Amino acid sequence: MTLRERLGEYARLIRLDRPIGTYLLLWPTLWALWIAADGLPPLHILFIFVAGVALMRSAGCAINDFADRHIDPHVERTRARPLARGSIRPWEAVMVFLFLSALAFVLVLFTNPLTVLFALVAVALAATYPFTKRLHSLPQVHLGAAFAWAVPMAFTAVHNEFPPPIAWLLFVTTLTWTVVYDTFYGMVDREYDLALGVRSTAILFGEQDRLITGILQVLVWLGLYLVGQQAGFGGLYLGALVVVAMLMFYQQFLIFDREPEACFRAFRNNHHLGLVVLVGMVGDTLIGG
C-alpha cells in the first residue's frame, strides 16, 4: 500500500468523508461558547474549541472502530470500514486515537488550568464510550456525556471559574439530545446488534422507542427554552425553537415505520436542528438585542 493509499485509509477511519458527527458535536459547543461570552467569544478560544471538536470527533471514530473491530465486519453498514476490511491494523487505530487526542490536549493547554482539568474528563469519556455497549444498555448516555462535556469546558475557558447553573442545564439538555439522535442511529442497526449481542437504547426501548424518544425530545425542547430564558434570549430565539419543534415532529414521522434508511435520515436531520438553535441564538443577540 502506498503512502497516499494509507493516508486515505486513515481519513476513512476518522470519517473525514462523513462529517455529520463533527457537526453534532460542534453545535452545542458553539451554543455554550456564545452564551458564556454573551456573544462572539475570543477568537483564540473559538479556534481552540472548533479545532478540538474536529480532533476529538476523529479520535473517537478511531477508538470506536478499534473497539468494534470484531463486530463491524458482520454489519452491512460498517463492513467497509478500514479496520473491518483489514486495510489497517488495530494498533494503528489506537495510535491515531492517541495522536489526535494529544493534539487536542495541547490546544487546551492554551486556555487555563481549570479547563485543562475538564479536558482530562473529556478524553476519558471519549476513550471509554466505545466499550460501554458491551457493559450496559445505555451507551448512548455515555456518548451524550462525552459530547456534552464541551459545554462546561466552554464556560471554564471563557470565565476561568466553575461553570454556572446555566452551563449544567445546557449540559443535561445536550446529553438528552444526544441520546435521542443516537437512538435513531441505533435503530438502523438494531437487528444486527441483537444478533451480535451489542447493547443500545434502541434495543432497550424496544417497541416503546418512538414514545420514549418523543418524550426525550420534549425534554430537550424544554431545556432549550429554559436555557434561552436564563440567557435572556427573546423572540428570534423563540422562533428558532418553533422550527426545532417542527424538526422534531419530522424526525418522529421518519422513524414511524422503523425503516433503517428513514431512521438514519432522522439521525442526520439533527444536524439541521443544532444549526437552527445556533442561528436563533446569534440572530437574537445581534438583531433582537
Side-chain angles (χ1 to χ4, degrees):
M1 185 184 297
T2 66
L3 176 61
R4 182 175 180 179
E5 290 171 337
R6 183 161 295 278
L7 291 177
E9 291 300 296
Y10 287 159
R12 281 184 281 276
L13 171 71
I14 62 176
R15 315 283 199 277
L16 288 185
D17 57 333
R18 298 177 181 273
I20 180 66
T22 302
Y23 296 144
L24 291 173
L25 178 56
L26 178 64
W27 299 134
T29 303
L30 294 180
W31 302 345
L33 285 171
W34 191 266
I35 293 173
D38 196 20
L40 184 68
L43 292 182
H44 75 283
I45 291 180
L46 181 63
F47 171 79
I48 288 170
F49 275 82
V50 171
V53 162
L55 289 169
M56 286 309 299
R57 188 264 176 165
S58 297
C61 290
I63 198 65
N64 180 79
D65 284 10
F66 171 79
D68 289 349
R69 64 192 183 279
H70 300 304
I71 296 173
D72 286 347
H74 306 287
V75 180
E76 181 179 355
R77 187 179 54 80
T78 59
R79 60 173 55 120
R81 290 177 177 174
L83 268 179
R85 289 189 289 107
S87 58
I88 64 173
R89 288 165 288 184
W91 69 265
E92 292 179 272
V94 175
M95 293 305 296
V96 168
F97 168 75
L98 293 175
F99 176 70
L100 295 176
S101 298
L103 285 181
F105 191 73
V106 168
L107 286 175
V108 176
L109 294 177
F110 290 94
T111 57
N112 55 64
L114 182 58
T115 306
V116 172
L117 290 176
F118 272 66
L120 293 174
V121 177
V123 173
L125 288 169
T128 54
Y129 155 69
F131 302 94
T132 59
K133 62 189 75 173
R134 295 157 186 80
L135 300 176
H136 58 74
S137 297
L138 296 170
Q140 280 71 24
V141 175
H142 196 113
L143 178 67
F147 270 40
W149 197 250
V151 170
M153 282 184 62
F155 280 82
T156 62
V158 172
H159 296 294
N160 194 20
E161 60 185 23
F162 195 79
I166 189 174
W168 297 109
L169 174 59
L170 188 57
F171 169 81
V172 172
T173 301
T174 301
L175 188 156
T176 307
W177 180 45
T178 307
V179 172
V180 171
Y181 65 66
D182 205 54
T183 298
F184 296 159
Y185 191 79
M187 291 168 69
V188 178
D189 297 329
R190 181 157 44 191
E191 299 307 315
Y192 290 103
D193 289 345
L194 282 168
L196 294 167
V198 176
R199 302 179 184 182
S200 72
T201 49
I203 293 173
L204 177 66
F205 296 163
E207 293 298 316
Q208 304 303 315
D209 49 8
R210 295 178 306 197
L211 173 63
I212 295 175
T213 55
I215 293 172
L216 292 176
Q217 284 178 314
V218 171
L219 294 177
V220 170
W221 193 94
L222 288 174
L224 291 171
Y225 173 79
L226 292 174
V227 165
Q229 291 294 298
Q230 292 189 25
F233 294 136
L236 288 179
Y237 179 75
L238 291 176
L241 291 188
V242 172
V243 177
V244 166
M246 294 171 63
L247 290 172
M248 289 176 171
F249 278 115
Y250 176 61
Q251 291 164 17
Q252 285 295 317
F253 169 78
L254 287 173
I255 69 167
F256 187 80
D257 292 322
R258 302 185 175 93
E259 295 179 356
E261 178 59 32
C263 292
F264 190 65
R265 288 168 57 197
F267 159 74
R268 290 179 59 86
N269 185 260
N270 282 275
H271 159 48
H272 302 294
L273 189 154
L275 175 59
V276 166
V277 174
L278 180 63
V279 170
M281 290 180 176
V282 174
D284 198 88
T285 301
L286 298 181
I287 301 174

